[in-house]
Amino acid sequence: MASFNVNAARAQRLEALGHAWTFQIDDDTFELPTELTRQTARALRELDDNDVDGLLALLLGEQQFARLGRHDVTMQDIAAILEAYGKETGLGLGEG
């Protein structure tokens, strides 16, 4: 029986998706990871289900989250971003 090579599988996923998924607001571009580490997944589980800022801060990082705060972003905008992100990466976030 052939063994499963995790590194090769990860390389294939990253080749298909890239290391980051991007979205734009006005003239500003933001990046979200296409893969989540176990540590990030654990931190996500510890967030309250309604902690949208916590979710975005965790995924975007401090600098990008601060830039995002300078835009007039609605909850509907965030929902659309997370839906598109989930469809493209297979990561379901912010789903209730």
Side-chain angles (χ1 to χ4, degrees):
M1 182 183 325
S3 66
F4 179 73
N5 186 318
V6 173
N7 292 333
R10 181 184 303 134
Q12 282 184 317
R13 289 190 310 270
L14 292 175
E15 185 175 325
L17 294 172
H19 287 274
W21 181 85
T22 61
F23 66 95
Q24 294 79 34
I25 299 174
D26 301 324
D27 292 327
D28 216 346
T29 299
F30 299 88
E31 292 186 352
L32 295 174
T34 56
E35 299 225 343
L36 300 179
T37 65
R38 290 179 47 239
Q39 293 83 0
T40 301
R42 187 177 311 113
L44 286 170
R45 280 193 310 269
E46 293 174 2
L47 291 175
D48 181 89
D49 288 344
N50 297 315
D51 189 358
V52 175
D53 283 343
L55 171 67
L56 292 172
L58 187 61
L59 293 175
L60 290 168
E62 187 177 318
Q63 291 180 344
Q64 288 193 108
F65 183 67
R67 279 190 308 145
L68 182 68
R70 294 192 291 264
H71 295 276
D72 187 21
V73 180
T74 67
M75 293 302 293
Q76 289 80 1
D77 293 334
I78 293 168
I81 291 165
L82 293 177
E83 181 180 352
Y85 177 62
K87 283 182 180 176
E88 295 218 15
T89 64
L91 299 171
L93 300 170
E95 298 170 350

